[in-house]
Structure formats: structure tokens, C-alpha cells
Amino acid sequence: MEEKQLSGILNGAVPGEPVKKDENSRRGNWGNQIEFVLTSVGYAVGLGNVWRFPYLCYRNGGGAFMLPYFIMLVFCGIPLFFLELSFGQFASQGCLGVWKISPMFKGVGYGMMVVSTYIGIYYNVVICIAFYYFFMSMTNLLPWTYCNNPWNTPDCSGVLGSSPRFNASLANATTSLVAAASEVVNHTKRTSPSEEYWKHYVLNISDDIGNFGEVRLPILGCLAVSWFVVFLCLIKGVKSSGKVVYFTATFPYLVLTILFIRGITLDGAINGIKFYLTPQWQKVLDAKVWGDAASQIFYSLGCAWGGLITMASYNKFHNNCFRDSIIISVTNCATSVYAGFVIFSILGFMAHNLNVPVSEVADHGPGLAFVAYPEALTLLPISPLWSLLFFFMLILLGLGTQFCLLETLVTAVVDEIGTDWIIRNKTVVTLSVAVVGFLLGVPLTTQAGIYWLLLMDNYAASFSLVIISCIMCICVMYVYGYRNYFKDVEMMLGFPPPLFFKVCWRFISPLIISFILIFTVIQYKPIKYNNYVYPGWSLAIGFSMALSSVVCIPIYALYKISRSPGATFRERLKFACMADPKWGPALQEHRTGRYAPMASEDTVEARPLKEKEELKDEEKDEEKERKDEISLTIQGSNGSTNTHNNPNPSA
């Protein structure tokens, strides 16, 4: 009782809410609300913000792309983000436990787990490659600067010539730059030193996806380092990761700013930025532009991965997740726009030195991170320093997302089993998941690894995410009932969801998600890597990965219906869709209103007389405790007011 008498704004609780060190002592909570916001920002802001958005922007009309992009953010991104945060926070459960809301749809949670597993496997491989480049940048001369290395081919043409003697200074490199530029124009097969370093040295890429070759031991070692770092940061769950994100979520912005300041001072930088932002308004009428905008918003925010639900489940019950969803979503999109300036200022400088259009040096995905941008960095004085900063930024951006992916899987397992032993030994579960993730990532470190990595990236987490998100909206709004969910949110936050979000959740967001799905199907093209065309059997594996997460939904639904009581299929279906009696706030102190004991007459009549009397006695005791409790009435920052029998209402 003494703990309940303390109130304040500590640890992210709404003012006026009784504060405990950990509101949910069994599962734990964030140390404070800043940790949750930073973790969610780190989760949403990932590699795609740096290596995908700027490319999409210039390909889809430059500044004109911002219009559909921000419209999709407002009507789809923020509402879905708020829906998932409020969903996880209300139930204080991970992506499996929340489906007590409608047990038949628990397969959606399993689908989220499958998606997070796939992404977690290949995402850490990308991080490990960034680790490798980071370590290889600890030298006086970047190894991808010249063409005089054992792995280079006759087609190699370096921006700075073919010998270190040209690297005395940028001024002394003018002659070689002109020569290299003319060679680029006349030599149709020109390959850069950074591209050959990537293909022939780092990956030592094979000629076919089925030809695994040997494991690249340096990459394997970096993969072990990457998983070890992730495990250490999550060794105590959100208690440890919440402290790490103070650095991992903020330092990339410092690096971006340093690279931005350096970039805009270079010759040709303004041309790159113009190329990035010059509006082509006629493209706004192109459906593909809107499809790309919707897809980028959806995938960038991490919707339907299960991570948002998981992170929000460690919030305090009355935390203002509405405010958080807007802050995190806007920060994510602003980071994407900001990263575009950083990328294209350097690419503009590179195009200026090569005397070619910016479009010829612009790239996306691994091609940007490990080929185009590293080559541009070789043109800068003290290039190893800028390379270290760039790859360190990529590592931190990747780790922020990887933390949440691993925590999603661990939380789902721990919540599902739910025994005291598994909760006490959560570290063992974390270690087990990390070891399994490392072993499953080993094939991606072979000579054919890049083929498999891109296959997983294109299929494992593409249209399946859209389907999962759409079904989640339908379940919460139409099976559980939008009126019920709006009341739940009001009970949690102290105010109902704004009208705009009610309309988006019920109508606009599901329509946009359906549009994304249709757009994805119409725009589908078989995956290629440069000039390599994937064979049919590998595409079949890709579709199998995509379907493996979606198929969880009907399989579990049929299983749940078959196990439900009822004489007819309709009765069983109705029972399987009904909310579990345990659905609602996790802590008894928050189970008020319709979640309180004896909240409905039907429930009371179904109980034995003795049990009803016991419940009445418990209710009287709780009422007595509430009267004895001393607390304050404080107007919260989110507009909610929590009154606990304040003897002086006018105070």
C-alpha cells in the first residue's frame, strides 16, 4: 500500500497514476518512457531509411514523391503504428499473448513470429558485413581504392587511377580523374574497385544460387560478433537494451550530421541534392509512385513484424502511446528525408568527379551501402575516417532493429510458456534464440550467400506482411468490435481515440493496405541480382517462405474451431472468435469497468453461489482499500485525469 501512495511522473507513468518501480513485476517494464521511444525509433529507423528511401525518392519524381509519401504516412503509417502500440500496451503481452482478444486469430501472431525469424536471420548478416567493412576501414588506405589488387580484373577502372602514388592529394589526382572519366564514357564494361572488392573479395560470389562453395570465414566471424553483441545488449531483456539504445538510437544522427556537413561542402554536392529533390509533378499521377510511397511507409515503420506490439507490452498501462506513435512515426520519416541529403550530396560529388550524370552512380540496397557510397568515400581526404563513421552508423542502425526482432521472438516464447522457471531464466531463452539465429545464418556467409539474402529480403517479408496487417485490422475492428476497442483505448489513455484514427482504423487504413497488396501483385517481377536471373526452383522456395507465415493464420483458425465447444460449425466458429475471459489489462488493479469481477450479469449468473459471494467480498475489500488510499489528482500531459478519492476536489 505504501508504494501505491507515491505518485508522480517517474518512469513514464501518466501523472496521477500510482507509481511503482516496476508496475508489472512479473514481466518488467521500461526503466522510463524515453527508453521505449528510443528503442522504437531504433526499431523503425533501419537500413532501409538510408539505402532505399533516397533511391525511391529520385526514381519517383524527386520532391514530388514527398506528397504521396506524407499522405500515406498520415492515413496509413501513423494509424497502424498507433493501433499496434495500443494493442500491445493494453494487454501487456507479446505478439502471441495479445490474441486472447480473439483466439481464432492467434495464427496472426505465429505469422509475425515467422516473419521476424526470417528478417532476424538475414538482417544480422547485413550487419555482419557492415562490421567487416568497419574493421577493414582501420587502415591508412581503403582496400577498395585502387585496381592493383589480386582480386581485380582487367575491366576495373578506379576513380583515382591504379596505383597509390596517385593518392598524394585530391589536387594531384586531377589527371587520373579525367582519364578515369573518359574511360567510363568509352569503356562500357567499367567496374569500380569497390564493386570488384565487394564481389570478388568480400563475397567471392559464386555463379549460381545452388553453388554454395565455401563459407567465407571472415564474414562468419563477423556474424558471430554481431550475434554476440545483440545477445549482450538483450541479456536482461528490456532492462539492458533500454540502456543501450541511449547510444545506438542517437549516435547515428550525429554521424549523419557529420557526413551531411562534409557532403554539402564538396564540389558537385548541390547537383546531387537537386537530382534527389527536383520535383517531377507529372509523376504524381502515376499509380506506381503511390504504390511505392505506401509500401515504403508500411515496411519502414515495421508494421506487422510483431516488434511494435512487443515493445509496447513493456509500457506502463496508462502510458500515452498515442503521443509516442506520432513522435516515432514522424521521426522515422524525417530521418529518411535527412538521409537522402547525406547520400546524394556525396553521390553528386562522385558524379562531378567522374563527369557522368548522377543517375549512373545512384544505387540502392547493398549496392549503395557496399559499392557506390564506399567508392565515393575514397575521394575524400582522410577517407578511412569517413568510412569508419559511415559503417559504424550502418551497424548501429541495423542493431536497433535487430534488438527488437530478437526481443519479439524471446517475449513470444516466454509469454506463451509463462512458467516461473522460464520467466526467471529468460536469459537462457535469449541465448538459445541467438545461437539458433547464428546457425541459420551460416548458409548466408557462403559464396552463394548474397543470392539467398536477397531472396529472403524480397519474399520472406513482402506481401505476407501486408496480409498479416490487413487481417489484424479486420480482427480488431470487426470481429472484436471497434466500439469495444475504442472503449479499451479510452480506459487505458483516459481519452478516446481521435475521430480521425477511428475512421482510419475502420476504413481508410485497410483500404490502403489492400491497395498495397494489389499493387505488389501487379508490379511483381521475378527477382534478379545484377544480370543473374534466379532459377525457378529458387523462386518456389521464395514463395514458400512468403506463404509459410501467412499459412499459419488459416491452419491455427481451423485448429481452434475444431477444439471449440459447440454442436454445429457456426457455434464453434462463434466461440472461437469470442474474446478469452483473460483478455484485458494484465494487472488486477487495472481491470476496472467491464473487466472488473462480476462486470456482467451473465458472468455472475454462470458462477456458483459460493464463488459469487467470494467475489463480492473481494470487491468490498478492494473498495475499502481504495478509500484508505492516499493519492493526488493531477491533470496528465495526455489530457487524462486519474482521481483517487481526493478529499479536496478543488485542490
Side-chain angles (χ1 to χ4, degrees):
M1 290 298 296
E2 291 179 0
E3 283 183 329
K4 289 185 179 182
Q5 293 171 3
L6 301 173
S7 63
I9 316 176
L10 300 174
N11 296 333
V14 169
E17 175 69 15
V19 174
K20 300 176 182 178
K21 187 175 182 181
D22 261 346
E23 188 178 71
N24 191 330
S25 57
R26 184 176 174 83
R27 290 182 89 247
N29 295 106
W30 296 104
N32 58 60
Q33 211 48 41
I34 295 176
E35 292 181 7
F36 166 69
V37 172
L38 289 178
T39 301
S40 299
V41 167
Y43 171 67
V45 176
L47 298 173
N49 297 70
V50 173
W51 75 17
R52 181 167 168 78
F53 172 81
Y55 180 82
L56 280 179
C57 192
Y58 100 79
R59 285 290 298 269
N60 288 293
F65 181 70
M66 301 293 182
L67 176 64
Y69 182 73
F70 283 107
I71 288 176
M72 289 301 175
L73 169 66
V74 171
F75 287 97
C76 184
I78 296 176
L80 287 178
F81 207 91
F82 181 31
L83 178 64
E84 291 201 29
L85 290 190
S86 59
F87 195 18
Q89 182 174 306
F90 183 78
S92 297
Q93 291 285 309
C95 63
L96 288 182
V98 290
W99 294 102
K100 291 184 178 71
I101 192 172
S102 184
M104 190 182 83
F105 289 88
K106 192 175 182 179
V108 176
Y110 285 111
M112 290 177 172
M113 283 188 67
V114 172
V115 168
S116 290
T117 301
Y118 286 139
I119 298 174
I121 291 170
Y122 78 77
Y123 211 82
N124 227 13
V125 174
V126 178
I127 297 172
C128 89
I129 296 174
F131 262 114
Y132 180 78
Y133 271 80
F134 177 76
F135 294 141
M136 297 306 290
S137 299
M138 296 178 181
T139 177
N140 293 327
L141 179 67
L142 294 176
W144 55 85
T145 304
Y146 299 108
C147 289
N148 59 345
N149 301 290
W151 58 82
N152 291 126
T153 68
D155 291 329
C156 181
S157 175
V159 174
L160 293 175
S162 58
S163 171
R165 67 176 178 272
F166 289 101
N167 199 31
S169 66
L170 279 179
N172 294 336
T174 304
T175 305
S176 59
L177 284 172
V178 174
S182 61
E183 187 174 355
V184 169
V185 175
N186 300 320
H187 199 307
T188 56
K189 288 187 177 181
R190 184 257 179 183
T191 56
S192 65
S194 60
E195 183 177 356
E196 295 203 345
Y197 180 77
W198 163 248
K199 284 183 179 179
H200 304 314
Y201 186 74
V202 178
L203 301 178
N204 193 12
I205 191 168
S206 66
D207 58 354
D208 186 72
I209 189 172
N211 181 13
F212 284 91
E214 63 182 12
V215 172
R216 301 290 296 142
L217 293 179
I219 303 298
L220 182 65
C222 289
L223 182 63
V225 170
S226 183
W227 274 110
F228 184 66
V229 169
V230 173
F231 168 70
L232 284 182
C233 294
L234 288 173
I235 195 166
K236 292 185 178 179
V238 296
K239 292 297 183 187
S240 54
S241 66
K243 303 298 181 288
V244 174
V245 293
Y246 281 106
F247 178 72
T248 61
T250 57
F251 192 75
Y253 290 97
L254 176 62
V255 178
L256 277 173
T257 302
I258 293 171
L259 291 174
F260 172 68
I261 293 172
R262 184 68 187 102
I264 60 174
T265 60
L266 298 171
D267 293 335
I270 191 67
N271 295 329
I273 293 174
K274 281 182 180 177
F275 190 79
Y276 167 51
L277 289 180
T278 300
Q280 301 173 40
W281 293 110
Q282 69 277 10
K283 289 200 172 185
V284 174
L285 302 177
D286 188 351
K288 185 178 185 305
V289 173
W290 289 85
D292 279 343
S295 299
Q296 177 62 14
I297 283 289
F298 183 81
Y299 295 126
S300 176
L301 288 173
C303 298
W305 291 17
L308 298 177
I309 293 174
T310 302
M311 295 302 105
S313 72
Y314 291 102
N315 278 335
K316 301 205 171 190
F317 184 72
H318 290 299
N319 169 63
N320 189 349
C321 59
F322 170 66
R323 170 200 61 205
D324 295 342
S325 63
I326 294 176
I327 292 173
I328 297 164
S329 300
V330 172
T331 300
N332 172 70
C333 295
T335 304
S336 296
V337 176
Y338 187 35
F341 286 95
V342 176
I343 297 300
F344 274 92
S345 62
I346 298 287
L347 293 183
F349 167 64
M350 181 179 177
H352 173 76
N353 280 321
L354 284 172
N355 198 27
V356 297
V358 180
S359 58
E360 289 195 19
V361 296
D363 203 348
H364 66 108
L368 172 67
F370 303 119
V371 178
Y373 206 83
E375 181 177 22
L377 293 176
T378 63
L379 297 169
L380 298 175
I382 328 175
S383 54
L385 171 64
W386 305 111
S387 184
L388 282 169
L389 284 173
F390 176 71
F391 288 110
F392 190 51
M393 179 189 70
L394 289 188
I395 290 167
L396 294 182
L397 288 174
L399 286 176
T401 302
Q402 190 68 17
F403 291 158
C404 296
L405 290 169
L406 185 60
E407 186 62 41
T408 297
L409 298 175
V410 172
T411 298
V413 172
V414 172
D415 284 351
E416 186 67 7
I417 298 174
T419 63
D420 291 336
W421 184 92
I422 203 78
I423 292 173
R424 284 196 310 269
N425 294 277
K426 187 178 177 181
T427 303
V428 177
V429 180
T430 306
L431 177 61
S432 302
V433 174
V435 170
V436 171
F438 168 74
L439 294 176
L440 291 175
V442 170
L444 301 184
T445 65
T446 62
Q447 291 175 262
I450 189 65
Y451 298 123
W452 291 98
L453 189 152
L454 293 173
L455 186 74
M456 294 179 74
D457 184 40
N458 280 270
Y459 289 92
S462 56
F463 69 86
S464 55
L465 286 174
V466 184
I467 295 173
I468 288 171
S469 186
C470 191
I471 293 176
M472 183 180 73
C473 282
I474 292 170
C475 172
V476 175
M477 291 294 108
Y478 297 103
V479 178
Y480 176 64
Y482 60 89
R483 290 189 182 90
N484 289 332
Y485 194 73
F486 296 162
K487 289 177 183 176
D488 290 344
V489 173
E490 183 174 7
M491 171 185 168
M492 178 173 65
L493 299 182
F495 59 91
L499 177 62
F500 172 77
F501 285 85
K502 292 180 179 180
V503 174
C504 284
W505 285 347
R506 291 182 61 194
F507 306 112
I508 300 176
S509 296
L511 284 175
I512 293 176
I513 295 171
S514 302
F515 165 69
I516 297 173
L517 180 60
I518 295 169
F519 170 78
T520 303
V521 173
I522 293 175
Q523 293 290 324
Y524 170 76
K525 294 179 181 178
I527 182 177
K528 292 197 305 183
Y529 178 56
N530 294 333
N531 295 322
Y532 175 76
V533 179
Y534 280 68
W537 63 267
S538 64
L539 298 180
I541 292 175
F543 278 111
S544 298
M545 285 191 289
L547 292 173
S548 62
S549 55
V550 176
V551 78
C552 294
I553 302 172
I555 289 177
Y556 189 86
L558 292 173
Y559 164 77
K560 191 64 183 178
I561 293 170
S562 67
R563 299 294 299 270
S564 299
T568 65
F569 177 81
R570 185 175 180 180
E571 290 177 359
R572 293 186 175 197
L573 177 63
K574 186 177 180 181
F575 187 88
C577 290
M578 288 172 57
D580 190 283
K582 295 180 180 178
W583 162 251
L587 300 181
Q588 195 64 38
E589 64 197 73
H590 297 138
R591 295 183 75 88
T592 58
R594 60 199 180 97
Y595 292 102
M598 300 176 62
S600 65
E601 293 181 3
D602 295 339
T603 308
V604 173
E605 291 300 322
R607 298 178 185 274
L609 181 61
K610 184 177 180 181
E611 187 176 347
K612 287 194 287 182
E613 291 174 353
E614 290 176 353
L615 285 172
K616 288 179 181 179
D617 292 339
E618 289 177 6
E619 197 173 47
K620 288 179 182 177
D621 292 339
E622 289 176 4
E623 183 66 26
K624 187 177 180 182
E625 286 181 5
R626 282 196 292 270
K627 288 179 180 179
D628 293 338
E629 185 176 328
I630 301 173
S631 59
L632 300 173
T633 303
I634 299 178
Q635 181 67 30
S637 60
N638 62 352
S640 63
T641 304
N642 293 293
T643 306
H644 294 282
N645 303 313
N646 187 353
N648 185 9
S650 62

